[in-house]
Amino acid sequence: MKQVKKNIPRLRFPGFIDDWEQHKVTELGEIYIGLVTTMTSHYTDQGALLIRNSDIKDGRFEFGDNPIYLDDEFAKQNASRKHKVGDVITVHTGDIGTSSVITEKEAGSIGFATIVTRPNKDKITSDYLCAYLNTDTHKNFAMNISTGDGRNNYNLKDYYECVVPVPSIDEQKKISSFIDGLNNLIILHQRKLDQIKEYRNGMLQKMFPKEGETVPEVRFAGYTDDWEQRKLGESLSFLKDGTHGTHADSIEGPLLLSAKNIKGGNIIWDDSDRRISQEEYNKIHSNFSLKAGDVLLTIVGSIGETAILRDSTGLTFQRSVAFLRPCDKVLSEFLHTAIQTPAFQKELESRKSTSAQPGIYLGDLAEMPFSFPTQIEEQGQIGGFFEMLDETITLHQRKIEAMKEYKKGLLQQMFV
């Protein structure tokens, strides 16, 4: 009788046919927890690198611009806790289960409340173990076992219960090498995205006049006139009659837009968003109506988010959002961009009320200084330039998300 193979993944590299083994992680290497003692008094600019849970990402470490080091004397006293090349470091608190491998760059570092696994090289490779620990299968296990009684930590005794599917060393190397290639591709695209965002932020500062100046540092060719400077309320009109949101909910009525729907330059809806009855909608809109081209600005809670209304059909809004309607001297696209500048955001912050929930009164908003080119064509070029950058950013973000989903799907099929 033909033996039925078990414990094999759905997707596999050619040439591998053996069943996978199942081992508790405790059978695969030495495990210990990072230091849990207070050590802030030992922080320094050089010495032994400190790895915190927040520094651990999927297959890599991110320390930011200011890594933390421990002085040599303290590190010497805790030499037994120093990481070696190949150690797998796993998040104990936070994004539990997420793991990365110590390389030459991090060798000699010390972890703060991190889970450390030093694999037995005869049984499992570091990169393979790391790849498995970063799968949804393991992370879901970690979350379920760690939060069953209300805890938020992936404790050692919970981690000891983790069962790892283990193929041959050669197959482990194939799998981890493939995943490493995917990770590097994702990182490359993420760096490109970060560069574009940084460039965009720089241009937001350079293409608008600095405080006390009437022309920007960077300008499209052919424009030399001073920018016009007015109060915001003199340059556009505000819609003031948004509802307080106390109306009864309706299943199929017009959507009720609030500050939470404005994010990253877009209007975002989901199933939790409220609707009101058509009767209530008609009553509210007897005093005003929204128009395509109105610029949204959040003025309660998360202040300063903005988007352009492209379609006003079946839509009303709560007073956490201000609708700014440009006059014939100001383009919507330019206003939308101007709101995102550091200078405008700083002005918003300075006018924020100190009540229980942060907010800005429309009267204070109307008093804000506002500069714009006198030529509509220049406004159009500025707005179009940033719209192009935003579209490029969105494309990169979608590509990264698509690659992550592709990786996620493959991981589900490449592990037992």
Side-chain angles (χ1 to χ4, degrees):
M1 179 180 293
K2 185 177 180 180
Q3 184 178 4
V4 178
K5 286 190 175 292
K6 300 178 181 179
N7 293 328
I8 60 174
R10 292 172 58 190
L11 189 62
R12 206 168 187 186
F13 288 98
F16 298 101
I17 58 174
D18 294 338
D19 287 355
W20 287 25
E21 297 177 357
Q22 301 283 327
H23 290 280
K24 275 195 172 183
V25 71
T26 50
E27 302 169 355
L28 299 173
E30 176 189 350
I31 300 169
Y32 67 90
I33 197 77
L35 291 175
V36 293
T37 183
T38 301
M39 58 184 81
T40 52
S41 61
H42 300 285
Y43 285 2
T44 182
D45 294 332
Q46 56 185 356
L49 178 66
L50 178 67
I51 295 181
R52 299 163 297 174
N53 285 276
S54 58
D55 300 322
I56 306 168
K57 308 302 177 184
D58 185 341
R60 67 189 190 281
F61 297 102
E62 290 184 3
F63 299 103
D65 296 330
N66 298 297
I68 297 174
Y69 296 90
L70 301 170
D71 64 62
D72 290 333
E73 182 60 31
F74 180 80
K76 185 178 180 180
Q77 294 171 5
N78 294 278
S80 63
R81 299 298 185 97
K82 285 188 175 183
H83 301 138
K84 296 181 179 180
V85 174
D87 286 352
V88 179
I89 315 300
T90 301
V91 172
H92 167 271
T93 303
D95 186 14
I96 58 175
T98 298
S99 303
S100 189
V101 179
I102 295 293
T103 68
E104 292 286 354
K105 290 175 61 177
E106 299 87 25
S109 60
I110 294 176
F112 176 67
T114 55
I115 298 173
V116 182
T117 307
R118 185 164 294 161
N120 181 333
K121 296 179 181 179
D122 294 331
K123 294 182 178 181
I124 194 167
T125 70
S126 300
D127 290 335
Y128 174 81
L129 176 59
C130 177
Y132 175 73
L133 295 179
N134 282 319
T135 63
D136 283 351
T137 300
H138 170 251
K139 287 191 174 185
N140 289 337
F141 162 81
M143 183 62 68
N144 290 334
I145 198 171
S146 299
T147 60
D149 60 359
R151 289 172 294 150
N152 296 313
N153 298 327
Y154 192 15
N155 293 324
L156 273 187
K157 73 181 188 65
D158 298 325
Y159 181 60
Y160 289 161
E161 297 302 313
C162 172
V163 176
V164 182
V166 183
S168 68
I169 293 292
D170 286 342
E171 191 169 5
Q172 291 179 38
K173 290 179 179 178
K174 282 277 189 180
I175 292 169
S176 58
S177 177
F178 178 75
I179 293 171
D180 189 50
L182 282 179
N183 286 338
N184 288 337
L185 189 60
I186 292 171
I187 291 171
L188 177 64
H189 281 278
Q190 184 64 55
R191 285 174 180 167
K192 288 182 179 178
L193 175 60
D194 292 341
Q195 288 172 354
I196 297 170
K197 286 183 175 180
E198 186 176 352
Y199 172 73
R200 182 186 186 278
N201 291 336
M203 296 309 288
L204 272 177
Q205 298 183 60
K206 292 180 179 181
M207 294 183 70
F208 287 79
K210 292 182 172 63
E211 186 176 356
E213 299 182 3
T214 58
V215 295
E217 178 184 343
V218 174
R219 206 167 187 183
F220 287 101
Y223 301 105
T224 58
D225 294 343
D226 286 352
W227 284 29
E228 189 166 336
Q229 296 179 308
R230 292 190 179 186
K231 293 180 179 178
L232 194 63
E234 298 172 347
S235 310
L236 48 115
S237 57
F238 300 167
L239 299 182
K240 305 177 182 180
D241 296 323
T243 174
H244 282 292
T246 56
H247 306 285
D249 289 348
S250 174
I251 297 176
E252 297 181 349
L255 285 160
L256 186 60
L257 184 143
S258 67
K260 80 177 186 69
N261 299 115
I262 317 301
K263 196 69 178 174
N266 298 302
I267 302 174
I268 301 171
W269 303 103
D270 60 44
D271 294 337
S272 68
D273 289 306
R274 294 182 60 193
R275 294 175 179 269
I276 63 174
S277 69
Q278 188 66 45
E279 180 181 358
E280 292 286 357
Y281 175 80
N282 293 338
K283 186 185 301 181
I284 295 169
H285 280 255
S286 63
N287 297 323
F288 68 90
S289 61
L290 304 177
K291 293 181 181 179
D294 287 343
V295 177
L296 291 68
L297 174 64
T298 58
I299 57 173
V300 175
S302 178
I303 295 171
E305 293 284 350
T306 182
I308 298 176
L309 184 64
R310 303 296 183 182
D311 183 4
S312 63
T313 306
L315 179 69
T316 190
F317 64 103
Q318 295 185 27
R319 290 182 180 174
S320 58
V321 179
F323 276 73
L324 314 181
R325 183 164 296 167
C327 62
D328 56 3
K329 291 186 177 182
V330 179
L331 291 179
S332 300
E333 290 75 13
F334 174 81
L335 175 60
H336 174 245
T337 302
I339 289 173
Q340 300 172 60
T341 62
F344 196 101
Q345 292 289 320
K346 183 179 179 181
E347 279 288 338
L348 285 175
E349 183 68 23
S350 69
R351 294 166 191 272
K352 187 189 300 182
S353 68
T354 56
S355 56
Q357 187 174 22
I360 294 179
Y361 296 107
L362 289 182
D364 291 334
L365 189 64
E367 293 297 312
M368 284 184 56
F370 179 62
S371 298
F372 56 90
T374 55
Q375 293 179 269
I376 288 292
E377 293 79 11
E378 185 176 7
Q379 293 185 33
Q381 285 192 279
I382 293 171
F385 174 74
F386 283 96
E387 188 173 34
M388 176 196 68
L389 286 179
D390 290 339
E391 289 174 355
T392 303
I393 288 171
T394 298
L395 286 174
H396 275 278
Q397 288 173 331
R398 287 174 179 169
K399 185 175 289 186
I400 291 170
E401 289 305 313
M403 286 189 291
K404 287 180 177 179
E405 285 299 311
Y406 174 66
K407 175 188 169 185
K408 181 179 178 181
L410 285 178
L411 289 181
Q412 291 175 346
Q413 299 181 72
M414 291 177 71
F415 289 89
V416 174

